[in-house]
Amino acid sequence: MLERFYPKEWLDSTYEIPWEDWRARGIRGVLFDIDNTLVEHDAPADERAVALFARLHKLGIGTCLISNNREPRVKAFAERVDSLYIYKARKPGRKNYLRAMELLGTDRTSTLFVGDQLFTDVCGANACGIYSILVKPIDPREEIQIVLKRYLEAVVLHFYKRTLNSDRKETNR
């Protein structure tokens, strides 16, 4: 039951993802959450984010920001990093994940999703069959409603880690 919340990978940071490897494996589009995935909550796009998107575009990888935030926040960020975007995405609903892939001209096999929350980001990507990468939040200081979700996420991640450890033991036999 909890598997629908399990990411395919769990990394420390968006900025450590081996993008060239993903390009070689056929990835042509990346969907990103913004807050605490690319920058701290409500922060503008910084030089690190701008450089990441330029790198992705140079590799021929399209990008689309998919955020539950309002348009002014998402549009300003998207303009700074030169990305497509969808605001008020209603994640984890599938509609806007599918719409983002349509905008990029990709499908579930050629698209990644990167985000910091299990119940919105990862759950929605998984429901669409998109490879999901969970990253640790950039800033531990968050709004109260997100802090409460993090407690529930900790329970899910506990079982996720047990599954990973179990899979490793099976592989080593």
Side-chain angles (χ1 to χ4, degrees):
M1 181 176 119
L2 294 177
E3 290 81 10
R4 70 182 179 162
F5 301 112
Y6 292 175
K8 300 297 184 253
E9 287 187 45
W10 185 20
L11 301 172
D12 286 337
S13 170
T14 300
Y15 298 98
E16 72 176 35
I17 296 171
W19 298 109
E20 290 76 9
D21 294 349
W22 281 110
R23 176 69 169 89
R25 291 165 61 182
I27 293 302
R28 300 294 179 265
V30 182
L31 312 181
F32 286 101
D33 177 51
I34 300 172
D35 290 322
N36 258 343
T37 298
L38 294 165
V39 294
E40 293 178 352
H41 189 77
D42 279 336
D46 58 17
E47 292 307 314
R48 185 167 70 158
V50 170
L52 170 63
F53 279 70
R55 177 178 164 201
L56 291 169
H57 297 155
K58 187 174 179 182
L59 288 169
I61 298 174
T63 59
C64 186
L65 303 171
I66 177 169
S67 174
N68 287 344
N69 226 315
R70 294 189 175 128
E71 187 174 21
R73 162 75 175 135
V74 181
K75 181 179 180 183
F77 198 98
E79 287 175 347
R80 179 92 163 95
V81 297
D82 189 27
S83 181
L84 298 170
Y85 68 94
I86 297 172
Y87 64 97
K88 288 189 183 177
R90 296 182 175 218
K91 295 180 290 183
R94 297 176 68 230
K95 177 184 175 185
N96 285 308
Y97 289 85
L98 299 173
R99 184 168 160 237
M101 287 188 291
E102 186 178 307
L103 290 172
L104 289 170
T106 60
D107 61 27
R108 63 181 186 80
T109 64
S110 61
T111 306
L112 293 179
F113 185 89
V114 181
D116 71 299
Q117 292 189 49
L118 292 178
F119 301 131
T120 52
D121 300 329
V122 170
C123 181
N126 288 348
C128 293
I130 301 169
Y131 193 96
S132 57
I133 300 176
L134 177 70
V135 294
K136 293 180 182 173
I138 291 173
D139 186 355
R141 294 172 289 138
E142 298 179 293
E143 296 175 339
I144 188 64
Q145 71 272 15
I146 295 174
V147 169
L148 297 174
K149 281 197 268 184
R150 295 291 186 201
Y151 287 110
L152 296 172
E153 283 185 351
V155 172
V156 175
L157 288 170
H158 167 77
F159 288 103
Y160 171 70
K161 288 179 204 173
R162 283 180 50 183
T163 301
L164 289 178
N165 290 335
S166 174
D167 290 347
R168 285 186 191 124
K169 287 177 186 173
E170 289 295 319
T171 304
N172 291 333
R173 287 186 183 174

